[in-house]
Every structure is written in C-alpha cells, then in structure tokens.
Amino acid sequence: MTVDKHALRVKYRQERDKRLRPDGNDQYVPLTGRFASYAGDPYTPVTPREPKSDHVTVVFVGGGFAGLLTGARLKEAGISDVRIVEKGGDVGGTWYWNRYPGAQCDTASFVYMPLLEELGHMPSEKYAHAPEILEHCRNIAQHYGLYDNALLHTTVTDLSWDDEQNVWIVRTDRGDRFTARFAAMGVGPLHVPKLPGIPGIDLFRGHAFHTSRWDYAYTGGDPSGAPMDRLAGRRVAIIGTGATAVQCVPRLARACARLYVFQRTPSSVDARGNRPTDPEWFAAIATPGWQRRWLENFTAVQTGGADVDDLVMDGWTDIARRVRARIAVLPEDERTPARMLEVYEDSDFEKMAEIRARVDAIVADAETAGSLKAWYRQLCKRPCFHDEYLQSFNLPGVRLVDTGGKGVERVTETGVVAAGREYPVDCVIYASGFEVGTGFTRRAGFEVRGRGGVRLSEYWAGGMRTLHGTHVHGFPNAFIVQPGQGANLLSNIPHNLTESGQTIAMIVRRALEGGFTRVEVGEQAEDAWMELLLSGPGSPLGGPDCTPGYYNNEGQDLGPRGWLNVGYPYGASAYFAYLDHWRTAGGFAGLDFTK
Ligand code: NDP
C-alpha cells in the first residue's frame, strides 16, 4: 500500500485543528441537577451500621483491582487486619459501576483479570464480559477474607497523619473515625463520570442517564445480556463514541426502534476476535507461574522491547509487533532514534489505513463509512476493538449523526440538537466518559494531610512528585497505587497494580517485623526519581499533534500536571525488573524506616 505521508500529516492536523477548543477540560461538567441522584449507588441498597472508631494495620481506600490485589498480597504476607473502604456497595471498582450492556475487557482476560492462578479461575472468553469480571472481584474478596473488615458504601472524607501516634486518622461520610498504621489509596483513574457542558441537559423531559449508571429499570434487560425489551418502540440518542459507546451501541442497536449515535470524533475500531476459552488449551498453559509469565510476555511484546513469542496475539501486541518487524529490517547504522520514530510513524500510517479500510469493508452506506473513519495516529485516542460496532450502522434503525468535530450543541425538552437540527428522542444516554485531567485529590474526593498538616494537593500543586508513583515525601506510611511515575503501562493497568501490591506487602511486612513506626521516602530519593523520569520521552499516548481527548488533556498543555503520565524512561519491562530488584535487594533504597 503506498501512503502519501505528507497528505496524511496535513489531514491529521486539519482534523485536530477543527476540534481544538479553548475551554479544554472545562467543556465538561459533573453529574449534577437531574443526574445528582446518580452520585449515589443505583445497584445496592445502603445498609445502616454503627460508625467505626477502632484501629487497623492497613486501610485501603478503594475496592477495585488496586485494593483487591494489594489486599490479597497483604493477607498472603500475614497481615490480617486490612480494611478496604469503598464508596460502592461491593468491591469491583470500575466493574461495579460500569454495567452497561456489552461491557467487556479490552485487554485479554488472561493478563487483564488479576489473581487468576491464585483463584484457579479460567476466564470463559479471551475478552471476558463485565459480569464475570465483577464476580471474579467478589471471589477475590471472599478468597482472601477482604470482606471481613471492609466498609462498603463508605466514602473517605479525610485522611490525616497523626505525627505523635504515627497513625493515619481516617474519617468517612458514615461518621467513622478510626486509625490505621498504613494507608494505601487506589482510587482509580477513570471513575468520576462527566457530561458535556451543553445547554439544556436539565430541560430534557424524556429519560437520561450516564453509561456508568446504566438504568436497566428503564431499558429492560440486564448486564448479562438479556435483551433490553423496554426499549422496543423507543427512540434513543447516545452521545459519544469512545470505548464505552463502541461496546454498548451494538446492544442498543438491536433493542431500540431508532438509535441516533452522536459522534464528535470517530474511534479507531479494529477487529476483536473474541472466542470462548478452550478448557484443554487452558489446562495446557495453566502450569505453575503461568499468569506471571503471561503478564511479563504481554508487557515485553506490547512495549516493543524484546524479541519474544507473542502469547496474547491481539490488537495491542500487533501495534508493537509491526514496529519491531520494520526495525528488524533496518540496517544497523540506520537504527538511530530519529529513524526509529520514522519507522514507527510509517507503521502507524499503515495500521490506520487498514482500520479505515475495515470501515469501508463493513459499512454499507458510503457517507456513513466516510464519517466513521479515524484520521489520527492510533495512540492519539484509546484504540478500540469490536466485531459488531461498525456492523450496527447497517441496521435500518441506526443512524450516525456525525457532528463534524463540533459535538452536540444542546438538548431541548424533546431531543438532541446537532448542526442546527433537532433529533426528537425518548431517551438520551451519555457515553461522555470520566474526569481525567483534574487533580488527584479532586478525583479522589478527599484531602490527604501528611506531616505538619501539609495537604497532598498543595504538595503536588507544582506537579505530582513520588518515588515509583507510590511513595510521597512528607506522607509517611502511605502508598498510592496507580501506574503513573512507575511502569506507566496503560494497555494493561492490572500489571502495574500486581507489582505495586506485591511491593507494598513487602514494605509493610518489613516495617512490622522490624518494629519500625514510620516508612517514608526521603526528599533526595524522590527528587532523583523525578529527575530520572523527566529525562525520558514522556507519555507514549496522546501528544500535541493529536486530535483532542483525555489522552492529551483535550489538546492543552498540562504543564507539570502532566507528570502523572510519565513513566520509567527505559520502558515497562525494565521498570518491573528494576522494581523487583529494588524490593528484594533488602534495603528498599530511598525509603527511610524509623522507630
Ligand atoms: P471517552 O472519554 O473515551 O469518550 C467520551 C466520548 O464522548 C468521546 O467520543 C467524546 O468525543 C464524546 N463527547 C464529548 N462531548 C461531546 C459532545 N458535546 N458531543 C458529542 N460527543 C461528545 O469515554 P468512554 O467512557 O468511552 O471511555 C473512557 C475510558 O474508559 C476508555 O478510554 C478506556 O480507557 C476505559 N474503558 C475501557 C473499557 C475496557 O477496557 N473494556 C471499556 C470502556 C471504557 P471526542 O472524542 O471528540 O472528545
């Protein structure tokens, strides 16, 4: 395939420029007004309980994958009183809240679902659906006894370090005030739903909800795939075409009389290739240590660092395999950083051309197909994979409303307006995503006060600073569990969390065994880590040349706030190897253990 690279670069730039807007992240608003009730929990009734005023060894804020993985490793290390505090009515985090039809993991289950080997679970499909993942989360909590001490339907309101007692004081919206020797936080990167800040949202007289609070009472059906029979005869608008919409549009398309899909920027949608797991095949691969081998293999292949067999073989690893194949045929003396970037761009052009050709091959109407084509580099926006999304636009009741990069203008009492035309509907579903570019404490929903009452939001006002993305100077006995400033491996977040959980368990155990009351990263170690990170190339995702979206802070320079998105300069596999050495070498260099 011959590619006119200049023409493509110009086209990409035009597509970006027409979407850039001065309000950036401020174009979005939280779920207030008619949506305020969704700030609560539509899935599980709240059970009354007495406030807690006791003491635990470890409190973990958040009951998603981060809390479950860290909790599991702490339990394995013999720490029995671990308390998960979770705002939802059960564990599961993103999989507790996101029950929209068609939800499934986008990274292969064998590397995405944590602790498979420990629980002896065989994922039923290469890409498991949401109910199975949520059930697996519950099974992890059961297996490791993490429910015993958990506080569900409980939101932490404040976390303060008591410098005299060497404990964290935890306050919650249920009146709790208890202490913890260690506090860990896995509050999730994408959990505060947002809406487009367009006029009229509250005027709409029909039904409306956000995808992360799916209203099955209105639509009928259930997360397991029962048909949404109450949508028969209804006209539905879905706003947004990101990874969530790509998964739920096919189900909606089958259920409603008329579905309008309002698109501002098309997603790149590559083949999915989901299939049931063959138990015989699984028995053959699931030998001791299998999941760690798969995790390491996926990371090595996907981040392009190693010439190893690709066990997972999917759209994520395909990106890296292509680049590596092109580099492999470069003469030795041409393997310069600049030439490699060129090769990467060539590979990307080729891949995106294939993804656009896939649209033509699937979508019957030429104008609709044209609008569904993505004109940007693949990692500018979250790559999507689906075998029914594009096909949905061939159904007679489905209509793509392409807004030419401008977005929906407003909502009226009776419908949705785009390009000056009103589309009357009975229901509006917002697939408009989650807060990303906002500050950590805003998204966490509480302030963390460290030594001397210093607030984490103040300490990070000039940019996030940590050692390994986990330890913060001035905040003893605290751990932050997330991928940034560590491996920053965004194609498989659970691998990051797996390693963090293991590391935290080892540190806590060392502190308890040694009788240390405080563990804190020294200022110099934190500075040195930041210096190392900032010497690297930055985030592989997004970038100023990309169409706006949350990968590039809606096209606006994040300044030092973008430090959250930097990772170990030598890549994710190298980071995990480094971390393993750091935690097993004996000293946890850079952390000060004091009595
Ligand atoms: P996104 O933020 O990715 O998508 C929001 C969508 O809303 C975009 O298409 C955006 O358009 C659109 N939008 C915003 N404002 C308007 C407007 N005024 N008019 C029309 N459209 C508008 O949210 P998602 O919930 O789809 O996904 C968030 C992330 O969650 C994913 O990127 C992924 O990381 C994760 N996820 C993972 C899944 C998995 O692993 N299985 C499944 C689903 C989500 P534009 O692009 O122009 O901004």
Side-chain angles (χ1 to χ4, degrees):
M1 185 184 304
T2 28
V3 172
D4 181 345
K5 294 194 222 173
H6 174 71
L8 270 178
R9 286 192 200 107
V10 170
K11 171 81 174 156
Y12 284 11
R13 186 157 287 259
Q14 284 167 348
E15 293 294 323
R16 181 201 70 164
D17 289 349
K18 76 180 181 197
R19 290 175 171 83
L20 279 175
R21 40 191 290 170
D23 51 358
N25 264 319
D26 294 339
Q27 68 183 284
Y28 291 106
V29 295
L31 269 58
T32 50
R34 66 180 292 165
F35 296 94
S37 59
Y38 291 115
D41 180 351
Y43 308 123
T44 317
V46 177
T47 316
R49 65 167 176 82
E50 291 301 311
K52 293 280 182 192
S53 55
D54 54 356
H55 175 80
V56 293
T57 302
V58 184
V59 64
F60 198 102
V61 186
F65 278 7
L68 293 170
L69 269 159
T70 308
R73 295 300 180 226
L74 285 163
K75 290 281 180 141
E76 283 171 351
I79 293 118
S80 55
D81 58 338
V82 177
R83 171 171 290 160
I84 286 178
V85 182
E86 164 57 48
K87 71 178 173 189
D90 204 340
V91 297
T94 207
W95 300 101
Y96 179 80
W97 297 106
N98 286 279
R99 300 180 185 204
Y100 59 82
Q104 66 182 135
C105 58
D106 254 351
T107 305
S109 312
F110 312 105
V111 290
Y112 181 77
M113 292 174 72
L115 300 164
L116 287 174
E117 190 168 352
E118 287 80 348
L119 268 81
H121 180 69
M122 179 191 84
S124 64
E125 302 172 279
K126 182 165 182 183
Y127 303 93
H129 279 79
E132 178 174 342
I133 304 175
L134 179 57
E135 188 58 26
H136 183 63
C137 291
R138 293 181 176 132
N139 291 340
I140 294 171
Q142 289 287 359
H143 182 87
Y144 286 99
L146 294 168
Y147 279 129
D148 302 347
N149 215 356
L151 299 179
L152 301 173
H153 274 147
T154 304
T155 301
V156 169
T157 50
D158 184 79
L159 206 54
S160 295
W161 176 249
D162 180 331
D163 222 12
E164 282 175 14
Q165 304 299 318
N166 290 317
V167 291
W168 285 96
I169 301 169
V170 188
R171 293 186 179 83
T172 78
D173 66 342
R174 302 288 296 267
D176 306 300
R177 186 202 175 279
F178 64 91
T179 55
R181 190 153 165 192
F182 298 91
M185 289 156 262
V187 292
L190 291 155
H191 73 109
V192 181
K194 64 183 183 344
L195 296 171
I198 48 177
I201 283 186
D202 272 330
L203 296 179
F204 182 59
R205 283 196 268 112
H207 203 71
F209 55 87
H210 187 272
T211 49
S212 66
R213 303 289 185 274
W214 197 272
D215 191 348
Y216 283 103
Y218 176 83
T219 62
D222 63 31
S224 304
M228 292 179 279
D229 49 0
R230 294 190 193 149
L231 289 182
R234 300 230 186 248
R235 299 157 304 169
V236 174
I238 182 163
I239 297 179
T241 51
T244 298
V246 165
Q247 293 187 335
C248 64
V249 158
R251 303 284 175 108
L252 282 170
R254 292 202 286 268
C256 358
R258 195 94 178 109
L259 176 66
Y260 295 104
V261 181
F262 287 88
Q263 170 182 277
R264 188 166 68 180
T265 311
S267 280
S268 73
V269 187
D270 205 352
R272 166 81 302 164
N274 197 16
R275 55 175 179 267
T277 309
D278 172 359
E280 274 184 38
W281 169 84
F282 186 73
I285 66 143
T287 53
W290 78 267
Q291 199 175 20
R292 171 157 291 280
R293 285 196 299 278
W294 273 64
L295 282 172
E296 287 173 358
N297 176 270
F298 179 78
T299 300
V301 175
Q302 207 266 318
T303 55
D307 195 8
V308 290
D309 286 345
D310 181 357
L311 297 176
V312 169
M313 291 289 282
D314 71 356
W316 291 109
T317 58
D318 180 54
I319 299 171
R321 269 187 281 119
R322 284 166 180 258
V323 179
R324 213 170 51 235
R326 281 172 177 263
I327 291 175
V329 296
L330 279 183
E332 272 304 321
D333 61 342
E334 280 192 37
R335 295 191 188 178
T336 59
R339 187 77 183 99
M340 289 203 217
L341 283 177
E342 254 178 61
V343 163
Y344 176 31
E345 189 188 39
D346 290 346
S347 173
D348 203 286
F349 281 149
E350 178 192 80
K351 179 82 197 177
M352 290 304 287
E354 286 176 22
I355 289 173
R356 288 190 291 269
R358 185 170 183 262
V359 180
D360 282 328
I362 293 174
V363 178
D365 177 67
E367 191 186 337
T368 306
S371 303
L372 285 165
K373 290 180 189 168
W375 295 99
Y376 45 79
R377 291 186 65 162
Q378 196 180 16
L379 295 184
C380 277
K381 282 191 172 275
R382 171 61 144 66
C384 296
F385 310 93
H386 212 284
D387 292 337
E388 288 172 84
Y389 175 73
L390 295 171
Q391 289 79 349
S392 304
F393 295 96
N394 292 335
L395 295 176
V398 180
R399 162 108 188 251
L400 179 74
V401 183
D402 181 47
T403 63
K406 298 282 173 233
V408 161
E409 279 166 27
R410 64 196 159 89
V411 177
T412 65
E413 288 186 1
T414 50
V416 178
V417 179
R421 174 170 169 197
E422 180 179 359
Y423 296 82
V425 290
D426 303 300
C427 174
V428 180
I429 300 172
Y430 293 91
S432 43
F434 303 87
E435 279 191 23
V436 176
T438 48
F440 176 87
T441 47
R442 172 180 162 143
R443 275 178 290 126
F446 60 91
E447 188 56 88
V448 186
R449 293 164 220 273
R451 271 192 298 108
V454 172
R455 294 158 184 247
L456 188 59
S457 56
E458 279 168 24
Y459 186 64
W460 283 354
M464 178 177 172
R465 307 185 64 77
T466 67
L467 172 70
H468 303 164
T470 309
H471 317 277
V472 186
H473 180 64
F475 295 79
N477 296 6
F479 310 102
I480 293 168
V481 185
Q482 51 80 43
Q485 300 194 355
N488 207 30
L489 174 69
L490 299 180
S491 53
N492 192 22
I493 302 281
H495 193 173
N496 305 268
L497 310 180
T498 300
E499 296 301 329
S500 302
Q502 178 71 27
T503 310
I504 291 166
M506 290 170 81
I507 294 169
V508 170
R509 191 171 167 166
R510 161 106 197 272
L512 295 178
E513 282 176 355
F516 298 106
T517 53
R518 289 187 189 211
V519 184
E520 184 181 339
V521 58
E523 198 170 3
Q524 280 183 351
E526 191 180 90
D527 288 349
W529 186 250
M530 293 310 299
E531 201 176 314
L532 174 70
L533 295 184
L534 296 175
S535 70
S539 171
L541 305 178
D545 295 335
C546 286
T547 43
Y550 80 83
Y551 270 14
N552 71 347
N553 192 43
E554 303 298 335
Q556 295 189 335
D557 184 10
L558 259 179
R561 276 201 293 136
W563 292 357
L564 169 63
N565 306 322
V566 292
Y568 193 58
Y570 312 111
S573 292
Y575 174 77
F576 292 135
Y578 153 82
L579 187 69
D580 193 43
H581 177 74
W582 180 82
R583 69 192 175 201
T584 48
F588 301 102
L591 295 188
D592 300 325
F593 288 73
T594 47
K595 296 209 173 179

